[in-house]
Amino acid sequence: MALMSLCLSLGLIFLDLEWRSKSVDAIPSYQSICKLVHKAVDCNGRKLSSVPNNLPTNIEELFMDANFVRTLRNGTTQQYANLWRLSLQGNNLEFIESGAFSGNKKLKVLSLQDNSIFVNYLMTANALQSLPALKKLDLSGNYLTEEMAGILFQNLSSLESLSLTRNFIMRLDSTIFENLVQLQELSLEKNYIYEIEEEAFENLRRLQRLNLAYNHIPCIVNFDLTKLEVLNASYNNIEWFLTKDSNANFELETLDLSHNQLLFFPLLPKHNKLRSLLLSDNEMNFYANALNATTSKEGLVKFIFISNNVTNVTSVNLWEDVILGDLSSLEFLDMSKNLLQYLPSGFLVSMTSLSHLKLNQNCFQIINLNNRELPATLVELDLSQNQLVELQVDPYSGSILPNLHFFNLSTNRLKRMPSQFFIHLDSITTVDLSHNQLNLCPQQSKGMDRICIDFRNVISVRHLYLAGCDLESVSDHAFRGTSLVKLDLSSNKRALLRGMRPLQDIALSLQYLSLRKTGLSNSAKADFSKFQNLLALDLSDNSLTSFPSTLSSLTLHSLDLRRNHISFFPQFMVHHRLGKSLHIIYLSQNPYDCCKLDWLNSLQELRTVHIADRQQITCKFSSKTVSVMELPKSVTQSCLWITTDMTLLYLVLILPTSLTLLVAFIILVLNVKQRLFKIVKSRWRRSNRY
Ligand SMILES: *[C@@H]1O[C@H](CO)[C@@H](O)[C@H](O)[C@H]1NC(C)=O
Ligand SMILES: *[C@@H]1O[C@H](CO)[C@@H](O)[C@H](O)[C@H]1NC(C)=O
Ligand SMILES: *[C@@H]1O[C@H](CO)[C@@H](O)[C@H](O)[C@H]1NC(C)=O
Ligand SMILES: *[C@@H]1O[C@H](CO)[C@@H](O)[C@H](O)[C@H]1NC(C)=O
Ligand SMILES: *[C@@H]1O[C@H](CO)[C@@H](O)[C@H](O)[C@H]1NC(C)=O
Ligand SMILES: *[C@@H]1O[C@H](CO)[C@@H](O)[C@H](O)[C@H]1NC(C)=O
Ligand SMILES: *[C@@H]1O[C@H](CO)[C@@H](O)[C@H](O)[C@H]1NC(C)=O
């Protein structure tokens, strides 16, 4: 009975709640539901099933995202005649009645992404007709096919920006966008487009930005959109990119063809304004060197274009290296992750504005850095992850690449390059030579077939990466005359065999130092007392058996001590300068003693220090390894036992000894007493005789 009545009353409460929330929906008092800021109303995520009809009539922007408006009826927004922005994203909206927007002649921006417009697209098409001022329309994620799209945009001639990302469009024919004569921006990202008819964009005379990324386009030929400024065709299956052979001026500034299957450098417009050309992750190479085919007929490729019963054949000699347009305005060129083995001579030097060049992850073995081959404007050059054996430099050139700041040569096999190379780069600040087998001049031991690189007196260099170079013991003045701020010497087991002396010349300029995996063990060798400006220090993966005491006088912000052999920290470190400056510390994978973790508590109590890997810190107890964060009760108790045990142990050890001593003493005393007694007695007796 009691249970029943409980159920009943619970039921009543639920009913009551239900009714209340319904009543809110039915009579929406906008103040309690939506937020009004100036003339914009925010009703996002309020579980509304319709547009509130009692908002101030002069509102200009209405945000209704993430609600449950499935139908937009005639006249729902009629009284908001000044509305220029309406957003109804993520409402599962299916049905927009033909007259739904009839009162919104000023509407310019309509956001309908992530709804189900496909269900009643014909009706929606009619509704959109009544928006003469519509400039921006977003229909992303509405399950639209190309037929639906064609009908939806039939008469939207005022539209300037249209997004159709994440729909089901597969083919673009010449009719689908034909009336969008004002369109400047079109996004078709993440559809299933595999074919684009030649006239598909013909009427889009004002189109400036076209996004075709993440589709299945196999090639782009006869490219002729002269007004286009940005074309993004990344993440397709494009093997060919060929511009229509013409002398027209193209406005193209950015071309993104990355993540495709390009086999050849694209055939670009002869006259263009290209500043950014993105070709990374393709299968490009130049072939003239390999096949000597410029003179043969084999390189001639014929393209047959069929349109309107006219067949046209274009021949392009793709094996020829220099088929480029004018690239004198190009600033950023990314050709990383390709199959390049060489660059045609004069290829780069014609790019007279080039500042950033990425050639990493290719198959280069030799690169020529002469002034005749590279433009002097270059600021960043990335040649990492190639098979570079040789850097060719004109032996008589004074300064080369006068503007180069950043040079990445990591992960190569450098065998031949001038030792003094970097002294000729006047502006160089960052050099990455990691993962090359080399030494630093002056070399300690002669011999071996490896090169030595001289950084002495390279005054501009600030950041130097030498990780995994298998450096031999670095000599004492290898960094003399530099002001290095950041140095990565990690994974060089022999570099600091003789201690920190090789770094003495840069001890005061260094702020970031990585000595991970450098074989440091505890001794006077790991003396950091001179590095007074150091901010970050990585000492992980070494053999430190205790905390290097010289660290406690530094003002580090970050310290990494993972994977060493440290069993505990001295308390003083926490309260020294280091404890005050430290922001972040890494401590895991050391064999800490579970019974001596007071230092960790002190560190945590500091509050200013973030122990980044707290969850991973473990400690040792007898032969077990346990997590410090979930230290089992048994361990803490055993630790307590061990500490209290010691006094007990002493007691136990001392007690029998002292007892024996006591007994012995008593016996002795008694013995002595007995004798005394006897003596006294005998004396008395004797005296008694008197
Ligand atoms: C909505 O308005 C349109 C045009 O104004 C009209 O053709 C249609 O019949 C109306 N629909 C309803 C359900 O009233
Ligand atoms: C577009 O306009 C034309 C002529 O003005 C008209 O015949 C056609 O029905 C309109 N299309 C839609 C979908 O309303
Ligand atoms: C091209 O589109 C892809 C995918 O959205 C994007 O990651 C990339 O940044 C775009 N490229 C440019 C140049 O904007
Ligand atoms: C390439 O062609 C030129 C001229 O036809 C010829 O002199 C040269 O020997 C050829 N080189 C190779 C590697 O076949
Ligand atoms: C295509 O062109 C041929 C002649 O070149 C002509 O006989 C034929 O009628 C044309 N076909 C069509 C569909 O226009
Ligand atoms: C065919 O090529 C000729 C010359 O190359 C050109 O004048 C003509 O416009 C082209 N026709 C088509 C349909 O591309
Ligand atoms: C150099 O290139 C490698 C591999 O491409 C990369 O991991 C590294 O971060 C780059 N170096 C610098 C300083 O950016």
Side-chain angles (χ1 to χ4, degrees):
M1 267 318 278
L3 203 70
M4 181 85 121
S5 72
L6 188 70
C7 286
L8 260 177
S9 61
L10 268 178
L12 272 176
I13 290 167
F14 277 124
L15 277 176
D16 193 31
L17 276 177
E18 187 103 307
W19 179 79
R20 268 188 209 173
S21 66
K22 269 204 180 137
S23 75
V24 165
D25 247 352
I27 319 162
S29 131
Y30 82 90
Q31 276 111 338
S32 61
I33 300 171
C34 303
K35 256 193 316 224
L36 179 70
V37 182
H38 302 299
K39 287 179 178 169
V41 179
D42 174 359
C43 302
N44 289 348
R46 300 295 146 87
K47 301 186 178 161
L48 299 174
S49 57
S50 65
V51 177
N53 57 8
N54 56 354
L55 302 172
T57 50
N58 64 346
I59 58 165
E60 295 181 357
E61 293 172 81
L62 177 54
F63 297 90
M64 293 277 307
D65 301 346
N67 284 296
F68 302 125
V69 184
R70 293 184 67 178
T71 308
L72 211 58
R73 299 219 174 276
N74 273 356
T76 33
T77 55
Q78 192 149 24
Q79 70 265 46
Y80 311 126
N82 287 337
L83 212 58
W84 65 264
R85 186 205 292 269
L86 175 60
S87 184
L88 280 161
Q89 303 179 28
N91 272 283
N92 205 14
L93 185 62
E94 288 175 354
F95 195 74
I96 301 182
E97 280 186 3
S98 314
F101 300 125
S102 56
N104 306 110
K105 297 290 177 218
K106 294 185 181 165
L107 199 67
K108 278 190 195 155
V109 182
L110 181 56
S111 307
L112 295 174
Q113 50 268 57
D114 299 302
N115 285 299
S116 302
I117 297 298
F118 76 102
V119 178
N120 272 299
Y121 67 97
L122 285 173
M123 196 80 86
T124 303
N126 282 329
L128 294 176
Q129 300 301 319
S130 60
L131 293 171
L134 193 63
K135 291 211 178 335
K136 190 169 177 173
L137 175 61
D138 196 332
L139 281 167
S140 312
N142 273 292
Y143 311 92
L144 300 171
T145 62
E146 57 267 26
E147 286 85 18
M148 299 174 185
I151 290 165
L152 278 165
F153 314 132
Q154 224 164 53
N155 290 344
L156 301 186
S157 54
S158 61
L159 218 53
E160 289 174 4
S161 168
L162 173 61
S163 177
L164 285 168
T165 61
R166 292 180 285 108
N167 280 294
F168 291 150
I169 296 167
M170 294 203 251
R171 272 187 87 249
L172 298 181
D173 64 20
S174 55
T175 60
I176 180 166
F177 302 124
E178 69 183 333
N179 291 328
L180 305 183
V181 288
Q182 300 288 332
L183 205 65
Q184 290 168 19
E185 185 170 8
L186 174 60
S187 178
L188 290 160
E189 191 177 317
K190 300 205 172 104
N191 277 280
Y192 299 87
I193 301 169
Y194 65 90
E195 193 183 356
I196 302 177
E197 244 179 46
E198 219 180 319
E199 285 90 27
F201 302 116
E202 189 156 83
N203 285 351
L204 309 185
R205 292 276 161 224
R206 292 172 165 237
L207 194 63
Q208 289 172 356
R209 309 171 71 84
L210 176 58
N211 186 350
L212 294 169
Y214 290 104
N215 278 289
H216 303 297
I217 303 168
C219 61
I220 294 180
V221 291
N222 256 2
F223 173 71
D224 65 349
L225 300 174
T226 52
K227 288 286 178 293
L228 207 61
E229 289 171 10
V230 181
L231 173 59
N232 191 342
S234 60
Y235 298 98
N236 277 283
N237 308 324
I238 299 172
E239 291 184 358
W240 311 92
F241 181 93
L242 303 172
T243 305
K244 190 170 190 157
D245 187 21
S246 89
N247 283 320
N249 287 319
F250 282 70
E251 299 294 321
L252 199 61
E253 281 183 20
T254 303
L255 176 58
D256 190 345
L257 292 172
S258 55
H259 310 282
N260 277 293
Q261 281 145 35
L262 282 177
L263 297 165
F264 301 92
F265 194 81
L267 193 64
L268 300 167
K270 269 184 213 139
H271 306 288
N272 61 67
K273 296 180 176 169
L274 265 179
R275 293 159 62 130
S276 201
L277 179 55
L278 308 172
L279 301 170
S280 92
D281 197 4
N282 277 288
E283 286 159 32
M284 286 190 317
N285 195 3
F286 293 97
Y287 303 90
N289 259 17
L291 290 172
N292 201 10
T294 36
T295 47
S296 81
K297 285 272 188 300
E298 282 170 43
L300 218 58
V301 175
K302 288 181 179 171
F303 287 92
I304 302 170
F305 301 115
I306 305 167
S307 59
N308 300 336
N309 200 14
V310 181
T311 306
N312 232 5
V313 179
T314 302
S315 307
V316 181
N317 195 339
L318 290 159
W319 307 106
E320 203 173 303
D321 282 340
V322 186
I323 49 170
L324 315 160
D326 170 19
L327 289 173
S328 61
S329 53
L330 195 63
E331 290 166 11
F332 189 99
L333 175 58
D334 187 350
M335 300 207 289
S336 60
K337 298 194 195 168
N338 274 285
L339 303 172
L340 298 172
Q341 287 171 316
Y342 79 103
L343 295 175
S345 121
F347 174 76
L348 293 170
V349 83
S350 66
M351 304 175 188
T352 48
S353 306
L354 194 66
S355 58
H356 292 74
L357 176 59
K358 288 171 74 69
L359 294 173
N360 46 304
Q361 286 174 269
N362 276 289
C363 314
F364 289 104
Q365 295 189 337
I366 299 175
I367 202 98
N368 190 332
L369 298 177
N370 287 332
N371 288 336
R372 274 173 282 114
E373 292 297 336
L374 288 175
T377 43
L378 218 52
V379 172
E380 251 187 69
L381 176 55
D382 193 343
L383 280 167
S384 62
Q385 298 188 57
N386 276 286
Q387 286 144 33
L388 278 179
V389 178
E390 183 172 356
L391 285 193
Q392 288 179 339
V393 183
D394 196 348
Y396 304 110
S397 61
S399 136
I400 40 178
L401 298 172
N403 293 300
L404 196 70
H405 277 66
F406 174 98
F407 196 4
N408 196 341
L409 278 165
S410 97
T411 323
N412 278 291
R413 305 174 188 165
L414 288 172
K415 285 269 180 289
R416 287 184 296 280
M417 71 179 275
S419 290
Q420 303 268 323
F421 174 72
F422 291 100
I423 210 151
H424 297 296
L425 302 176
D426 290 342
S427 308
I428 194 78
T429 56
T430 303
V431 176
D432 193 338
L433 277 167
S434 308
H435 309 290
N436 281 286
Q437 298 254 316
L438 47 85
N439 272 323
L440 293 177
C441 315
Q443 237 170 321
Q444 287 296 304
S445 57
K446 279 268 152 53
M448 315 264 284
D449 61 335
R450 20 162 108 191
I451 43 166
C452 89
I453 310 281
D454 202 345
F455 280 101
R456 288 172 299 177
N457 302 316
V458 181
I459 41 181
S460 59
V461 71
R462 293 289 177 275
H463 308 139
L464 181 56
Y465 299 82
L466 293 168
C469 288
D470 196 19
L471 295 174
E472 282 177 65
S473 178
V474 177
S475 74
D476 284 357
H477 295 297
F479 300 109
R480 173 178 275 174
T482 69
S483 311
L484 282 180
V485 170
K486 183 168 191 170
L487 177 62
D488 185 354
L489 278 180
S490 53
S491 302
N492 283 289
K493 288 256 183 227
R494 294 175 295 164
L496 296 178
L497 272 184
R498 297 173 310 112
M500 304 291 285
R501 284 226 319 270
L503 306 184
Q504 65 193 358
D505 289 328
I506 45 172
L508 280 178
S509 63
L510 270 186
Q511 293 178 11
Y512 305 89
L513 178 59
S514 176
L515 298 178
R516 192 168 60 80
K517 243 187 207 174
T518 43
L520 280 182
S521 57
N522 255 42
S523 61
K525 283 179 187 169
D527 179 1
F528 292 95
S529 51
K530 292 209 180 97
F531 295 78
Q532 286 300 320
N533 292 314
L534 211 55
L535 297 176
L537 178 60
D538 184 352
L539 291 173
S540 58
D541 284 299
N542 281 299
S543 315
L544 298 173
T545 50
S546 67
F547 180 80
S549 57
T550 48
L551 290 183
S552 54
S553 68
L554 303 185
T555 47
L556 294 179
H557 290 174
S558 148
L559 176 60
D560 194 339
L561 289 165
R562 279 173 287 185
R563 294 183 287 280
N564 275 286
H565 304 316
I566 303 172
S567 59
F568 82 104
F569 283 72
Q571 278 287 348
F572 67 81
M573 158 236 164
V574 176
H575 303 294
H576 247 257
R577 287 180 77 184
L578 182 64
K580 293 195 179 73
S581 64
L582 212 55
H583 295 332
I584 186 161
I585 190 166
Y586 300 84
L587 293 165
S588 62
Q589 300 183 60
N590 277 292
Y592 301 117
D593 184 342
C594 288
C595 296
K596 290 185 192 163
L597 287 173
D598 293 347
W599 59 270
L600 187 59
N601 294 333
S602 313
L603 204 59
Q604 278 170 329
E605 276 159 19
L606 274 182
R607 303 257 175 243
T608 49
V609 185
H610 173 55
I611 305 175
D613 53 351
R614 244 180 69 191
Q615 301 299 328
Q616 285 92 279
I617 303 179
T618 52
C619 62
K620 283 219 136 107
F621 181 74
S622 59
S623 58
K624 279 184 295 184
T625 302
V626 291
S627 163
V628 165
M629 289 302 124
E630 295 145 18
L631 215 55
K633 269 245 163 67
S634 59
V635 172
T636 32
Q637 267 162 5
S638 307
C639 283
L640 262 178
W641 261 112
I642 287 173
T643 37
T644 36
D645 249 13
M646 285 325 249
T647 31
L648 261 178
L649 194 72
Y650 288 135
L651 261 181
V652 170
L653 279 177
I654 287 166
L655 205 64
T657 334
S658 33
L659 268 178
T660 338
L661 278 174
L662 194 71
V663 171
F665 181 72
I666 290 169
I667 292 169
L668 199 77
V669 167
L670 282 180
N671 244 341
V672 171
K673 256 194 178 168
Q674 225 165 16
R675 268 202 211 151
L676 265 177
F677 187 66
K678 270 183 189 164
I679 290 170
V680 170
K681 219 175 171 182
S682 68
R683 282 247 176 105
W684 183 73
R685 268 192 202 147
R686 240 184 268 160
S687 69
N688 222 9
R689 278 178 200 163
Y690 288 103

